[in-house]
């Protein structure tokens, strides 16, 4: 039965579940954005609120019972305020807490300790006051600088859109040659020598699509497709090219062709702006 239909071979294991990249404008998104999406949404983030165990099985010290090891990530909630700061991979955890042994457990939210701090980007040559956590400051110190922390950390561990947008901005600045440090050539060359190695992981197209949300990517793709569809017909482009060649040759008929071309363009614009309903409308004689 599978060979009775052309798609039978694909239906042997069931229908494929549709995703964001299989329908509409999402199917037109380039591979550069899909690479960022896999890094942001599909890649497994580093363990922050639990300590993962190595191996497949573990033995209890007292009972000697052997049980399988299950490193199940703790579900985390990213409130809107998390995208206005850099929390270093931390988020809000929802669970239950038993505060009294004689009472039932109650819902509880664990929120990271936030503080206001100033970070410095050497590539952007800016000081920024952002909301951070102790883990963020520790990660910045471990990576020897704010720029190294953003460039080395994948998007799934950054989590906040502010950090991802800053990483995109730093990559664009490095690709352009650090124009903000043009007034200090020695410092500019030092920063390029230190941070240019991170550009090897990305192509110019990947940097252009990096850090965009799904809606922002759809909006950009829509603008690109509209620009392609808005091109003039080839016959008009060829006529313009011919008129330019005639004008260079000094032929008098170029002026007549120029007027005919403007009239044709005007007719195309009028036909595009007019609706087909207006052609069917009519008015009585005594209107």
């Amino acid at each position: 039965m599978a060979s009775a239909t052309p798609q039978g071979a694909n239906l042997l294991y069931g229908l494929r579940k549709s995703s964001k990249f299989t329908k509409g404008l999402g199917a037109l998104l380039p591979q550069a954005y899909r690479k960022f999406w896999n890094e942001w949404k599909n890649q497994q983030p580093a363990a922050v609120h639990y300590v993962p165990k190595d191996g497949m099985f573990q033995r209890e010290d007292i009972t000697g019972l052997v049980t399988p090891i299950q490193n199940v990530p703790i579900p985390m909630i990213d409130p809107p305020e998390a995208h206005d700061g850099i929390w270093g991979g931390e988020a809000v955890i929802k669970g239950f807490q038993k505060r009294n042994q004689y009472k039932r457990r109650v819902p509880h939210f664990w929120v990271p300790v936030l503080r206001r701090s100033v970070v410095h980007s050497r590539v952007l040559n800016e000081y920024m006051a952002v909301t951070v956590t102790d883990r963020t400051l520790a990660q910045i110190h471990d990576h020897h600088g704010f720029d190294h922390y953003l460039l080395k950390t994948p998007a799934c561990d950054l989590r906040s859109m502010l950090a991802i947008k800053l990483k995109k901005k730093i990559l664009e600045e490095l690709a352009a040659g650090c124009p903000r440090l043009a007034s200090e050539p020695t410092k500019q060359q030092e920063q390029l020598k230190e941070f240019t190695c991170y550009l090897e992981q990305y192509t110019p197209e990947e940097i252009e699509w990096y850090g965009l949300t799904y809606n922002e990517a759809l909006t950009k793709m829509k603008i690109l497709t509209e620009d392609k569809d808005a091109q003039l017909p080839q016959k008009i482009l060829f006529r313009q090219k011919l008129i330019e060649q005639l004008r260079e040759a000094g032929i008098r008929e170029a002026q007549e062709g120029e007027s005919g071309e403007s009239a044709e363009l005007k007719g195309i614009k009028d036909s595009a702006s007019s609706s087909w309903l207006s052609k069917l409308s009519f008015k009585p004689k005594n209107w």
Side-chain angles (χ1 to χ4, degrees):
M1 289 297 294
S3 60
T5 56
Q7 70 275 17
N10 298 328
L11 297 178
L12 288 175
Y13 301 99
L15 294 173
R16 291 186 178 180
K17 188 177 180 180
S18 62
S19 62
K20 294 178 179 291
F21 301 100
T22 57
K23 55 185 178 179
L25 285 174
L28 302 177
L29 291 175
Q31 190 65 30
Y33 181 74
R34 301 190 184 196
K35 178 182 176 182
F36 163 71
W37 182 267
N38 291 330
E39 177 189 337
W40 184 28
K41 295 295 184 180
N42 299 335
Q43 186 174 335
Q44 183 69 25
V48 178
H49 297 288
Y50 69 98
V51 180
K53 299 180 180 179
D54 298 332
M56 298 180 61
F57 298 93
Q58 63 181 356
R59 184 188 296 273
E60 297 291 340
D61 296 335
I62 299 176
T63 62
L65 181 64
V66 177
T67 56
I69 295 176
Q70 298 179 359
N71 293 321
V72 181
I74 299 176
M76 294 187 291
I77 303 173
D78 291 316
E81 293 78 9
H83 298 290
D84 297 333
I86 303 175
W87 291 11
E90 296 188 52
V92 178
I93 298 176
K94 177 184 177 182
F96 293 91
Q97 189 178 44
K98 195 172 180 63
R99 300 172 184 173
N100 193 316
Q101 61 176 346
Y102 300 107
K103 294 183 180 180
R104 299 183 62 180
R105 61 179 185 174
V106 293
H108 184 76
F109 289 90
W110 284 268
V111 183
V113 179
L114 306 177
R115 63 184 68 204
R116 196 76 174 173
S117 181
V118 177
V119 294
H120 176 230
S121 174
R122 289 188 290 165
V123 176
L124 301 178
N125 197 21
E126 289 184 5
Y127 288 89
M128 295 165 281
V130 295
T131 303
V132 298
T133 62
D134 293 337
R135 188 176 188 276
T136 306
L137 298 178
Q139 290 286 318
I140 292 174
H141 290 307
D142 292 342
H143 288 86
H144 306 287
F146 182 64
D147 299 298
H148 287 291
Y149 164 66
L150 292 180
L151 294 173
K152 287 183 180 179
T153 308
C156 61
D157 291 332
L158 293 176
R159 296 187 72 90
S160 73
M161 288 307 302
L162 176 61
I164 295 175
K165 294 291 186 183
L166 285 175
K167 182 177 180 179
K168 173 185 175 66
K169 199 171 182 181
I170 291 174
L171 289 173
E172 291 176 345
E173 190 75 11
L174 290 173
C178 295
R180 301 192 182 194
L181 300 174
S183 58
E184 304 176 10
T186 305
K187 188 176 180 181
Q188 183 183 24
Q189 294 300 325
E190 291 177 357
Q191 303 303 332
L192 287 174
K193 183 178 180 181
E194 182 177 357
F195 295 100
T196 308
C197 58
Y198 295 105
L199 293 177
E200 298 175 358
Q201 307 174 10
Y202 307 95
T203 61
E205 185 184 7
E206 292 173 355
I207 296 176
E208 181 182 359
W209 287 92
Y210 195 91
L212 299 179
T213 62
Y214 184 72
N215 292 332
E216 292 174 350
L218 290 183
T219 303
K220 182 174 182 177
M221 196 69 213
K222 184 177 180 181
I223 294 174
L224 293 177
T225 53
E226 286 179 353
D227 292 343
K228 292 181 180 179
D229 296 339
Q231 293 181 356
L232 293 175
Q234 292 291 332
K235 64 175 185 178
I236 297 180
L237 296 178
F238 291 149
R239 181 174 296 175
Q240 291 177 351
K241 186 176 180 180
L242 177 60
I243 290 175
E244 291 177 359
Q245 294 176 355
L246 293 176
R247 189 183 296 111
E248 292 176 359
I251 300 179
R252 184 181 59 185
E253 286 77 2
Q255 300 295 332
E256 300 177 359
E258 201 172 36
S259 60
E261 175 199 2
S262 60
E264 187 172 352
L265 284 174
K266 184 178 179 181
I268 292 176
K269 293 180 180 179
D270 293 342
S271 62
S273 60
S274 62
S275 174
W276 63 275
L277 288 174
S278 62
K279 300 178 181 179
L280 300 178
S281 62
F282 64 94
K283 294 181 181 179
K285 294 181 179 180
N286 299 327
W287 183 261

